mmCIF file of all heavy atoms in Angstrom:
data_model
loop_
_atom_site.group_PDB
_atom_site.id
_atom_site.type_symbol
_atom_site.label_atom_id
_atom_site.label_comp_id
_atom_site.label_asym_id
_atom_site.label_seq_id
_atom_site.Cartn_x
_atom_site.Cartn_y
_atom_site.Cartn_z
ATOM 1 N N LEU A 21 10.933 8.321 34.497
ATOM 2 C CA LEU A 21 11.076 7.068 35.242
ATOM 3 C C LEU A 21 10.632 7.233 36.682
ATOM 4 O O LEU A 21 11.042 8.169 37.370
ATOM 5 C CB LEU A 21 12.535 6.612 35.224
ATOM 6 C CG LEU A 21 13.060 6.199 33.862
ATOM 7 C CD1 LEU A 21 14.565 6.061 33.918
ATOM 8 C CD2 LEU A 21 12.434 4.895 33.431
ATOM 9 N N THR A 22 9.802 6.349 37.146
ATOM 10 C CA THR A 22 9.526 6.252 38.575
ATOM 11 C C THR A 22 10.532 5.320 39.202
ATOM 12 O O THR A 22 11.346 4.690 38.528
ATOM 13 C CB THR A 22 8.119 5.658 38.777
ATOM 14 O OG1 THR A 22 8.125 4.325 38.292
ATOM 15 C CG2 THR A 22 7.058 6.461 38.044
ATOM 16 N N ALA A 23 10.517 5.232 40.512
ATOM 17 C CA ALA A 23 11.464 4.330 41.185
ATOM 18 C C ALA A 23 11.233 2.883 40.736
ATOM 19 O O ALA A 23 12.191 2.132 40.557
ATOM 20 C CB ALA A 23 11.301 4.445 42.694
ATOM 21 N N VAL A 24 9.968 2.511 40.523
ATOM 22 C CA VAL A 24 9.675 1.152 40.076
ATOM 23 C C VAL A 24 10.301 0.918 38.722
ATOM 24 O O VAL A 24 10.936 -0.117 38.467
ATOM 25 C CB VAL A 24 8.154 0.912 40.029
ATOM 26 C CG1 VAL A 24 7.831 -0.424 39.367
ATOM 27 C CG2 VAL A 24 7.575 0.963 41.411
ATOM 28 N N GLN A 25 10.116 1.855 37.794
ATOM 29 C CA GLN A 25 10.680 1.705 36.469
ATOM 30 C C GLN A 25 12.199 1.652 36.507
ATOM 31 O O GLN A 25 12.830 0.885 35.797
ATOM 32 C CB GLN A 25 10.229 2.867 35.574
ATOM 33 C CG GLN A 25 8.752 2.830 35.262
ATOM 34 C CD GLN A 25 8.330 4.135 34.639
ATOM 35 O OE1 GLN A 25 8.442 5.180 35.284
ATOM 36 N NE2 GLN A 25 7.859 4.081 33.448
ATOM 37 N N ALA A 26 12.797 2.500 37.314
ATOM 38 C CA ALA A 26 14.260 2.525 37.374
ATOM 39 C C ALA A 26 14.787 1.189 37.849
ATOM 40 O O ALA A 26 15.788 0.691 37.361
ATOM 41 C CB ALA A 26 14.710 3.648 38.315
ATOM 42 N N SER A 27 14.110 0.576 38.823
ATOM 43 C CA SER A 27 14.607 -0.716 39.307
ATOM 44 C C SER A 27 14.415 -1.805 38.260
ATOM 45 O O SER A 27 15.207 -2.747 38.176
ATOM 46 C CB SER A 27 13.858 -1.101 40.608
ATOM 47 O OG SER A 27 12.481 -1.299 40.316
ATOM 48 N N ALA A 28 13.369 -1.646 37.432
ATOM 49 C CA ALA A 28 13.173 -2.631 36.365
ATOM 50 C C ALA A 28 14.160 -2.425 35.245
ATOM 51 O O ALA A 28 14.462 -3.346 34.493
ATOM 52 C CB ALA A 28 11.744 -2.513 35.818
ATOM 53 N N ASP A 29 14.671 -1.244 35.093
ATOM 54 C CA ASP A 29 15.528 -0.903 33.969
ATOM 55 C C ASP A 29 16.683 -0.018 34.429
ATOM 56 O O ASP A 29 16.664 1.194 34.239
ATOM 57 C CB ASP A 29 14.706 -0.200 32.901
ATOM 58 C CG ASP A 29 15.486 0.024 31.616
ATOM 59 O OD1 ASP A 29 16.549 -0.576 31.484
ATOM 60 O OD2 ASP A 29 15.004 0.786 30.755
ATOM 61 N N LEU A 222 10.274 -3.827 30.881
ATOM 62 C CA LEU A 222 10.963 -2.637 31.361
ATOM 63 C C LEU A 222 10.048 -1.713 32.130
ATOM 64 O O LEU A 222 10.500 -1.018 33.061
ATOM 65 C CB LEU A 222 11.576 -1.876 30.165
ATOM 66 C CG LEU A 222 12.598 -2.590 29.303
ATOM 67 C CD1 LEU A 222 13.206 -1.630 28.302
ATOM 68 C CD2 LEU A 222 13.694 -3.229 30.147
ATOM 69 N N PRO A 224 6.593 -2.378 33.613
ATOM 70 C CA PRO A 224 5.392 -3.160 33.928
ATOM 71 C C PRO A 224 4.286 -2.302 34.534
ATOM 72 O O PRO A 224 3.082 -2.557 34.270
ATOM 73 C CB PRO A 224 5.876 -4.217 34.900
ATOM 74 C CG PRO A 224 7.167 -3.675 35.462
ATOM 75 C CD PRO A 224 7.777 -2.871 34.348
ATOM 76 N N SER A 225 4.599 -1.293 35.322
ATOM 77 C CA SER A 225 3.564 -0.486 35.959
ATOM 78 C C SER A 225 2.915 0.480 34.975
ATOM 79 O O SER A 225 1.915 1.109 35.291
ATOM 80 C CB SER A 225 4.149 0.291 37.130
ATOM 81 O OG SER A 225 5.078 1.273 36.682
#
Side-chain angles (χ1 to χ4, degrees):
L21 293 168
T22 65
V24 172
Q25 292 168 298
S27 64
D29 188 12
L222 300 187
S225 67

